[in-house]
Amino acid sequence: MKRIDILRGAVLAATVLATGGLLAGGHDERGSDRLPPVANGVWQAECTSCHEPYHPGLLPARSWQAMMAGLDRHFGENAALDAPVRDEITLFLVANAADRNGNRRSAKIAASIPAAAAPLRITETRYIRAKHDEIRADVWKRPAVGSAANCAACHTTAGQGDFSEHNVTIPKAGIATVAGHPTGPASVR
Amino acid sequence: MRHLILSSLAALAASLPAVAVEAATPQQLVADYAAQATKESPSFREFSAARGAELYRQQRTRTDGVSTSCSGCHTADPRATGRTRANKDIAPLAPVANPKRFTDVAHVEKWFSRNCPDVLERVCTAQEKGDFITWLLSVK
């Protein structure tokens, strides 16, 4: 067990270093509206078994900490994780959070949230609400969208941290295919 | 050189996480749950596919008023691809359609420990888990 802990630590350190490297590296993501690339295998595997990967730069560290502390009642569902896995994901989310990653768009999100608040829904932050204020209520309910939690339904490049308006395609009413999740052979688990 | 490769491989193998060790066959899993079920209840005899199917299809109103069931997300046909509330595909539960099912103890336990409280508002017994897998294994 001890060996595994050490290993987890090493993997985690490598991940944090790699992320730092990306931030400080040739691509200047800091001043960009595009969120910096992030990668963590455990985060990817665990979180995307139920939903799209929400970029850690979309919420401040205190929100992620609150989120990860309440996984047994996660938006109405039990998403509990074993403590080592939960802690690894928390460290990754916090290290790359909106108030920590130095990215311009993330900083705007963070600045739009009152200091005493730790929202769990990205769509409840003032910045994100304001950005979507022209979207009519029925658009969110279209079959291909489902809800405001489905960023990738319209933000075709959300997976790359790119939420630029140029890459938004709002699905028409009556098209049932969910963007990013084409119906076809099932993904493994 | 060969020595170096071998020792590197050995080091790599030693560093692999414990998850790989827990690989199993569905039949092994069922046997483990049978042993647990006997411990939990001395009157336990054998698993029942019919009880497993009933558990899967049972529509239940939770104390918060929400109506839930396994089939709500996994669909009425366990060979079909389900969908999470957040629009993500769920690979089929029946091993006939998805041979990876019930081959990883930690994965199986993680999902029982999440979904039983979500649907039944309590953990599942070993007998329920065994019934459930026995039924899914019987689906052709």
Side-chain angles (χ1 to χ4, degrees):
Chain A
M1 197 56 211
K2 186 141 196 186
R3 181 170 50 78
I4 295 166
D5 285 346
I6 293 166
L7 236 135
R8 279 192 193 285
V11 170
L12 187 63
T15 313
V16 172
L17 282 175
T19 314
L22 281 169
L23 284 170
H27 307 278
D28 182 19
E29 305 287 349
R30 283 175 180 268
S32 164
D33 276 343
R34 181 172 173 163
L35 301 179
V38 290
N40 178 288
V42 180
W43 164 69
Q44 184 81 21
E46 294 296 343
C47 305
T48 67
S49 55
C50 295
H51 56 71
E52 65 174 278
Y54 297 117
H55 196 291
L58 292 168
L59 283 176
R62 59 187 184 278
S63 289
W64 292 123
Q65 281 158 335
M67 185 104 59
M68 298 303 285
L71 282 180
D72 57 334
R73 39 184 202 290
H74 186 66
F75 302 99
E77 279 182 38
N78 187 323
L81 288 167
D82 288 341
V85 175
R86 181 200 61 206
D87 294 346
E88 173 170 349
I89 296 172
T90 306
L91 279 170
F92 162 77
L93 292 168
V94 165
N96 296 286
D99 53 343
R100 304 269 174 104
N101 69 1
N103 175 268
R104 194 165 71 187
R105 196 192 288 276
S106 287
K108 288 180 192 167
I109 296 172
S112 81
I113 303 168
L120 300 184
R121 289 183 193 274
I122 295 161
T123 48
E124 277 174 8
T125 62
R126 192 159 48 82
Y127 175 84
I128 300 289
R129 285 178 83 107
K131 282 280 180 190
H132 295 87
D133 61 359
E134 80 282 18
I135 309 293
R136 292 195 324 267
D138 65 290
V139 176
W140 300 112
K141 300 264 182 260
R142 287 181 183 167
V145 180
S147 80
N150 192 3
C151 309
C154 305
H155 292 278
T156 57
T157 48
Q160 291 89 59
D162 184 351
F163 292 88
S164 153
E165 217 158 338
H166 301 296
N167 294 319
V168 169
T169 307
I170 299 174
K172 300 261 183 295
I175 298 169
T177 315
V178 173
H181 305 289
T183 44
S187 54
V188 178
R189 290 190 286 178
Chain B
M1 186 63 195
R2 196 167 170 196
H3 233 88
L4 190 70
I5 294 170
L6 281 177
S7 57
S8 310
L9 279 176
L12 180 71
S15 72
L16 286 173
V19 181
V21 184
E22 296 190 68
T25 66
Q27 287 73 20
Q28 277 172 297
L29 232 83
V30 171
D32 287 350
Y33 283 130
Q36 276 183 48
T38 308
K39 261 192 215 161
E40 284 176 11
S41 161
S43 63
F44 169 76
R45 289 290 167 268
E46 58 182 359
F47 292 128
S48 150
R51 279 197 308 253
E54 196 183 327
L55 178 64
Y56 182 83
R57 303 215 165 94
Q58 178 193 142
Q59 192 72 36
R60 196 177 164 273
T61 304
R62 282 193 321 219
T63 47
D64 63 2
V66 176
S67 179
T68 59
S69 65
C70 306
S71 56
C73 291
H74 292 284
T75 81
D77 179 354
R79 297 166 301 183
T81 297
R83 166 101 4 137
T84 70
R85 283 200 304 128
N87 291 305
K88 209 55 200 214
D89 282 353
I90 308 172
L93 267 186
V96 68
N98 177 10
K100 294 214 155 130
R101 282 294 176 197
F102 311 115
T103 57
D104 176 344
V105 180
H107 185 86
V108 172
E109 274 296 305
K110 177 174 82 177
W111 285 101
F112 273 133
S113 69
R114 287 172 165 182
N115 294 352
C116 293
D118 266 349
V119 176
L120 303 172
E121 297 178 278
R122 59 170 176 80
V123 296
C124 285
T125 63
Q127 185 193 307
E128 285 169 324
K129 294 174 187 175
D131 287 343
F132 193 82
I133 300 174
T134 299
W135 171 61
L136 288 166
L137 283 168
S138 76
V139 173
K140 294 296 172 220

